[in-house]
Amino acid sequence: MQSQLTKILQEAKEQLIKASSMPEIEEIRVKMLGKKSQLTEILRSMGTLAPEERKELGQSANHVRAEIEKMLEEKFSGMKGTLREAKFKLERVDVTEPGVQEALGAKHPITITINEISKVFMSMGYSVAEGPEIETVFNNFDALNAPANHPSRDYSDTFYVTESTLLRTHTSPVQARTLLSEEPPIKIISPGRCFRRDTPDATHSPMFHQVEGILVDEGVTMADLKGTLDYFAKQIFAPNVKTKFRPHYFPFTEPSAEMDVSCFKCGGTGCRVCKGSGWIEILGCGMVHPNVLQVGDIDVEKYTGFAFGMGVERIAMLKYGVDDIRLFYENDMRFINQFK
Ligand code: DAH
């Protein structure tokens, strides 16, 4: 029996050296110390032995048991350490790594330009009004005094949604909406998207943006119009630009004009930007036609007003030196990021 005990201890040692996982260690424990193990059997049979033999063998068996328990414990804590180390290795974070750069968005140049234009007019006390992109034919044309046969009403120029609704061709219908819903004094601008059936090229896009403006009050004259728009041009382009008003025609204003600014690139001597003329056309404007004021039931004996409308893309192209309108809609990050 003594030699059997020595063998058990030896076997436990060998098996534990080979064991490489927690379940294996547990298996060895059950096999060597469990109820059905050889060692348990030996301890159980102790009662049949003579007292002195029992004492000696009992001591040996208990010693073997304690030895195996110690070895199991050592192997167990060693394994725990190894596992923890492996886990740490797996979860290790290198805090010196540069990290992942979040892709930050940038404001679109059209948004930037609309904001700049709005800021100038807001500083003069204008509020911002908005209108829908799908408009009634009435607000887009009739209310604005457009003759029934005006060419811009053509199907070839305008996207109609139904017979009486369309994608607005300009922001001017917001004038009609404001006149219908508000009493003078009226002082608003209205930025927004417009649509025309144009074939895209370097200067045309079927979708584009305008900023509209209208002011109605007692005693408003053309001088107010000129002073306001001259101040606007100096704020948006450069403090030293000059403005020039050329007679023009719009159905909704009388008299009507187009405003040019002296070329802020060459100072008026002539260059590529102003096409050699020294002047750049910026916007349309005029004194609000009495027929338009009457749509809003406004007393035309008491009130007068001026209005204006400008293309945002055109202003952005001039300000930033962009030579193709289509660049604004391609969403190429290399283009957009230049305006950060
Ligand atoms: N609606 C005109 C256009 O799209 C621009 C315009 C001109 C607006 C004169 C106005 C104005 O309010 O008075 O070309």
Side-chain angles (χ1 to χ4, degrees):
M1 258 199 231
Q2 190 65 54
S3 66
Q4 216 177 332
L5 283 172
T6 318
K7 239 175 84 196
I8 289 171
L9 186 59
Q10 187 59 32
E11 195 185 334
K13 241 185 221 161
E14 278 166 16
Q15 289 197 7
L16 275 174
I17 284 168
K18 279 191 256 157
S20 61
S21 71
M22 292 294 195
E24 271 177 83
I25 297 173
E26 176 59 12
E27 212 175 283
I28 293 165
R29 191 189 65 77
V30 172
K31 191 174 158 207
M32 306 312 285
L33 302 179
K35 279 185 208 149
K36 291 178 189 155
S37 66
Q38 269 183 302
L39 186 64
T40 308
E41 223 147 78
I42 291 172
L43 284 163
R44 240 188 244 133
S45 65
M46 219 58 91
T48 61
L49 297 177
E52 59 277 20
E53 220 182 338
R54 191 192 304 163
K55 189 180 167 206
E56 197 184 316
L57 215 67
Q59 269 175 359
S60 287
N62 280 329
H63 171 74
V64 167
R65 189 185 177 90
E67 273 297 295
I68 293 176
E69 271 170 356
K70 202 174 105 201
M71 285 190 314
L72 276 164
E73 179 54 38
E74 273 167 12
K75 184 78 186 181
F76 182 72
S77 41
M79 182 69 72
K80 240 166 69 181
T82 314
L83 282 178
R84 198 180 319 126
E85 248 165 58
K87 197 169 164 235
F88 284 164
K89 220 176 236 173
L90 215 69
E91 291 175 358
R92 204 180 108 150
V93 175
D94 183 353
V95 291
T96 65
E97 284 216 345
V100 182
Q101 178 75 56
E102 284 283 333
L104 283 181
K107 279 212 178 88
H108 193 280
I110 294 300
T111 307
I112 295 172
T113 308
I114 288 177
N115 289 350
E116 282 181 8
I117 295 169
S118 303
K119 225 166 95 186
V120 176
F121 284 104
M122 276 152 69
S123 78
M124 290 189 270
Y126 286 73
S127 2
V128 177
E130 283 194 332
E133 289 167 11
I134 297 178
E135 255 299 359
T136 59
V137 171
F138 177 80
N139 284 337
N140 197 84
F141 292 123
D142 303 287
L144 296 170
N145 200 38
N149 60 352
H150 197 274
S152 65
R153 291 185 185 246
D154 274 9
Y155 282 90
S156 58
D157 289 343
T158 299
F159 294 109
Y160 282 87
V161 178
T162 64
E163 215 159 280
S164 59
T165 56
L166 41 69
L167 298 185
R168 65 177 177 190
T169 60
H170 48 182
T171 42
S172 303
V174 183
Q175 285 190 30
R177 288 179 172 272
T178 310
L179 291 171
L180 279 163
S181 64
E182 282 178 32
E183 296 291 321
I186 287 168
K187 205 173 175 185
I188 59 114
I189 55 158
S190 184
R193 217 173 261 165
C194 309
F195 308 85
R196 284 182 202 174
R197 286 185 82 143
D198 280 328
T199 306
D201 63 23
T203 53
H204 293 87
S205 160
M207 189 279 290
F208 56 98
H209 299 76
Q210 287 189 339
V211 175
E212 190 76 16
I214 183 169
L215 180 146
V216 180
D217 204 348
E218 284 181 57
V220 177
T221 70
M222 192 87 184
D224 299 310
L225 162 71
K226 289 178 77 172
T228 302
L229 295 177
D230 182 77
Y231 174 79
F232 161 74
K234 287 178 164 57
Q235 293 293 312
I236 276 290
F237 296 110
N240 60 347
V241 297
K242 291 199 277 285
T243 53
K244 175 168 92 173
F245 291 79
R246 279 180 292 101
H248 201 74
Y249 169 77
F250 296 106
F252 31 90
T253 42
E254 183 58 37
S256 302
E258 273 187 338
M259 183 181 83
D260 296 347
V261 297
S262 58
C263 183
F264 44 85
K265 262 275 140 61
C266 64
T269 53
C271 69
R272 212 172 61 97
V273 173
C274 59
K275 299 199 184 84
S277 75
W279 293 94
I280 303 167
E281 183 230 308
I282 292 298
L283 52 79
C285 57
M287 299 305 290
V288 184
H289 198 291
N291 290 354
V292 176
L293 291 175
Q294 269 158 0
V295 167
D297 258 341
I298 286 166
D299 182 353
V300 295
E301 295 299 326
K302 193 172 172 195
Y303 295 106
T304 49
F306 66 74
F308 54 87
M310 63 191 88
V312 178
E313 278 78 355
R314 183 170 165 72
I315 291 175
M317 286 168 84
L318 289 166
K319 272 189 74 128
Y320 298 119
V322 175
D323 58 8
D324 194 320
I325 196 170
R326 289 167 293 195
L327 287 165
F328 290 125
Y329 315 115
E330 280 168 2
N331 288 332
D332 186 330
M333 290 305 281
R334 291 168 301 181
F335 175 74
I336 308 280
N337 278 332
Q338 292 179 60
F339 301 91
K340 260 188 185 164

